[in-house]
Amino acid sequence: MGAAPPNIVFILSDDLAWSDLACYGHPYHHTPNLDRLASQGMRFTQAYAPAPICSASRAAILTGKTPARLNFEFVTKDKPGGQNLKQPLESPPYTLNLPLKETTLAEVLAPAGYATGFYGKWHVSQHHNGYLGWSPTHGPLQQGFAEGTGEFGSHPYGYKAQPELKNTPAADGTFPEDALTDAALDYLKKHRDERFFLYLSQYFVHDPVHSRCQWLIEKYRAKLPPGSLDIRASYAAMVETLDRLVGRVLDELDALKLADNTLVVFMSDNGGHPNYTANTPLRGSKWNLYEGGIRVPFIVRWPGHTPAGTVCNEPVHGCDLLPTFAELASAQTGAVDGVSIASLLRDPASKLPERPLLWHFPYYHPEKGFAKAPSHIGTSDFVTSQTRPHSALRLGRHKLLHFDEDDRDELYDLEADPGEAANLSTSRPELTAQLRERLFSMLKACGARFATPSKP
Ligand SMILES: [Ca+2]
């Protein structure tokens, strides 16, 4: 290429569903800024989160290694322990911290000359001073980032510190001030003359679902399909607020005249929360390995390199970010599970070598009220169903899900059946056996932990 490596702005949203953005087909969410990003860049239709849950996905994105290899498959907690649900299997103990010996995105890019900043939700360390508080031993600043803040911004998480805000509506047509985005914009201004990597980890649209934009709630109430849960209006307001916050970053890149030399990547850490949004047409949601839990929005803008307004249908994965950024930065990496997708960024019709994609979730969910949760995981459930220890493998158009308790497989043809409605495991026994063997050999090769039979 010959050109200097680009600045990198990576914006990660929390729990945003694959189908939540207008540019991904949502019928009434208004997301003009992310739609603009897609129209100026490339939108991926088959991008995957490494896990159906926050911490595991984030650890994998940071390291390029799958949660099965990291032995980091669930959410971090405030203290060591494990699940005690009296189910047939016992899940592995909780993982609290991403080990310092792992090489993160910042530790790859900094030696290649990048200033590095991390802003927002970390969630790959033991909670410190409250839920999501950065660990002083395993936080971003200990994992290679030079500066940053965990400020909650305008997210409802911040109401605990400022309860008066909760019932203070924003003026009609306006959004609340957002200190997290402000800090990220300050970072851009400060480093505009350097090469930088900004990791902006937004708390939106994770619950608690609440918005100070009453005008948006009213707007969306009028748009909800008849019979919808009212909370979907507040959720929609949060989606539009997220879009607005991303728009502020894009506007700042324009104002600083940095947009042309900045790669912007936007994605979500896992699928949508089943109580608040529909992952339709995909089955499942956050917490399970059906497509709704792991397929996420993924948009890349790289002016002069990525053709504008393009769509790429090649399957890509959160573990691909580290090798991709490394390639663009001419940086060195160790062994990782992802591959560089730089070729796709230049040509959406190019193909990656065929590779199996792996997911591993040896846990139960929900941890409270498990017995009362519905056992079936469907499409647009609007309720949290039971998740039991399971793993999945995608190879080409096929995806195998393996459920540990009853040693049961499901096989889907994602090309013909993206909603995973027709289980082919009985009609395609040879392919099922083949993928199952592949799944277990991969899990074994990466030293995966498994749920084990519970003691009587
Ligand atoms: Ca999440």
Side-chain angles (χ1 to χ4, degrees):
M1 297 298 293
N7 302 310
I8 300 172
V9 173
F10 176 52
I11 305 176
L12 186 63
S13 60
D14 197 353
D15 288 10
L16 186 73
W18 181 72
S19 45
D20 268 343
L21 301 179
C23 59
Y24 277 83
H26 197 278
Y28 59 84
H29 287 167
H30 184 54
T31 53
N33 293 291
L34 284 159
D35 299 348
R36 171 165 60 103
L37 187 69
S39 73
Q40 294 170 338
M42 190 178 290
R43 186 173 67 82
F44 287 77
T45 60
Q46 299 192 71
Y48 287 102
I53 193 164
C54 304
S55 302
S57 186
R58 289 155 189 270
I61 287 168
L62 272 169
T63 60
K65 294 182 182 177
T66 169
R69 187 183 303 283
L70 294 168
N71 294 171
F72 201 148
E73 316 88 345
F74 202 61
V75 289
T76 61
K77 304 282 179 175
D78 59 347
K79 59 180 189 296
Q83 297 189 314
N84 185 17
L85 289 168
K86 297 190 172 57
Q87 291 298 317
L89 299 180
E90 190 170 326
S91 297
Y94 296 134
T95 304
L96 295 181
N97 293 305
L98 180 68
L100 296 178
K101 69 175 194 308
E102 297 295 343
T103 305
T104 67
L105 287 167
E107 288 162 337
V108 166
L109 292 172
Y114 281 74
T116 57
F118 188 97
Y119 290 81
K121 176 167 170 171
W122 179 242
H123 211 190
V124 295
S125 62
Q126 184 169 357
H127 304 164
H128 181 72
N129 287 342
Y131 184 62
L132 294 180
W134 288 7
S135 156
T137 56
H138 292 77
L141 304 181
Q142 291 74 39
Q143 294 277 22
F145 290 91
E147 56 193 301
T149 173
E151 163 69 56
F152 287 139
S154 58
H155 189 274
Y157 281 144
Y159 298 166
K160 206 168 181 181
Q162 291 176 278
E164 70 281 6
L165 287 180
K166 183 170 184 182
N167 298 312
T168 311
D172 283 0
T174 71
F175 295 83
E177 290 178 8
D178 189 88
L180 175 62
T181 303
D182 290 346
L185 301 189
D186 287 344
Y187 180 86
L188 293 176
K189 288 175 200 143
K190 180 177 165 190
H191 294 284
R192 62 181 297 182
D193 295 324
E194 298 166 74
R195 189 169 301 149
F196 59 79
F197 170 48
L198 166 65
Y199 190 139
L200 174 53
S201 182
Q202 266 293 354
Y203 296 95
F204 287 91
V205 295
H206 197 288
D207 67 359
V209 172
H210 184 97
S211 175
R212 289 167 57 200
C213 299
Q214 193 59 36
W215 62 281
L216 277 180
I217 296 174
E218 297 302 336
K219 169 177 128 175
Y220 284 111
R221 268 190 188 134
K223 291 174 186 279
L224 290 181
S228 297
L229 297 170
D230 187 62
I231 198 151
R232 292 180 69 185
S234 298
Y235 180 82
M238 288 180 79
V239 173
E240 187 166 337
T241 302
L242 167 71
D243 178 81
R244 160 77 178 181
L245 298 176
V246 173
R248 289 187 60 207
V249 177
L250 301 179
D251 289 348
E252 190 67 35
L253 289 172
D254 287 338
L256 296 171
K257 301 198 175 359
L258 292 171
D260 284 348
N261 188 33
T262 300
L263 172 80
V264 178
V265 178
F266 173 87
M267 79 178 288
S268 178
D269 69 336
N270 51 249
H273 193 303
N275 294 40
Y276 312 121
T277 194
N279 291 282
T280 323
L282 306 180
R283 180 180 178 182
S285 67
K286 179 180 184 179
W287 294 305
N288 59 69
L289 298 178
Y290 292 105
E291 292 291 285
I294 50 176
R295 205 190 284 198
V296 290
F298 187 92
I299 302 169
V300 179
R301 185 182 77 179
W302 189 21
H305 301 270
T306 296
T310 46
V311 173
C312 180
N313 299 314
E314 191 75 354
V316 298
H317 187 275
C319 285
D320 298 338
L321 289 172
L322 185 141
T324 303
F325 293 170
E327 181 180 334
L328 302 185
S330 299
Q332 300 299 314
T333 69
V336 293
D337 289 304
V339 299
S340 172
I341 62 166
S343 59
L344 296 179
L345 302 188
R346 296 183 178 106
D347 174 9
S350 67
K351 296 283 172 205
L352 297 174
E354 189 176 74
R355 54 168 176 163
L357 299 175
L358 173 75
W359 294 269
H360 185 51
F361 194 79
Y363 284 87
Y364 290 87
H365 186 273
E367 294 190 285
K368 285 178 189 158
F370 183 87
K372 286 186 184 158
S375 59
H376 180 74
I377 298 171
T379 304
S380 302
D381 290 333
F382 289 100
V383 65
T384 298
S385 299
Q386 290 176 346
T387 294
R388 297 168 181 275
H390 65 314
S391 309
L393 180 86
R394 177 173 179 173
L395 185 64
R397 62 192 289 171
H398 290 104
K399 180 172 154 201
L400 179 97
L401 288 99
H402 178 82
F403 296 86
D404 294 4
E405 281 186 350
D406 44 0
D407 197 23
R408 182 172 55 83
D409 299 309
E410 295 179 7
L411 178 72
Y412 298 100
D413 176 350
L414 294 177
E415 217 167 287
D417 176 27
E420 297 171 291
N423 176 7
L424 306 175
S425 63
T426 309
S427 59
R428 304 284 307 272
E430 284 176 18
L431 181 60
T432 301
Q434 211 175 57
L435 292 179
R436 175 197 175 106
E437 197 186 315
R438 189 98 183 242
L439 168 69
F440 279 95
S441 71
M442 282 183 78
L443 287 171
K444 202 176 158 193
C446 66
R449 310 189 298 174
F450 291 89
T452 52
S454 296
K455 293 169 196 77

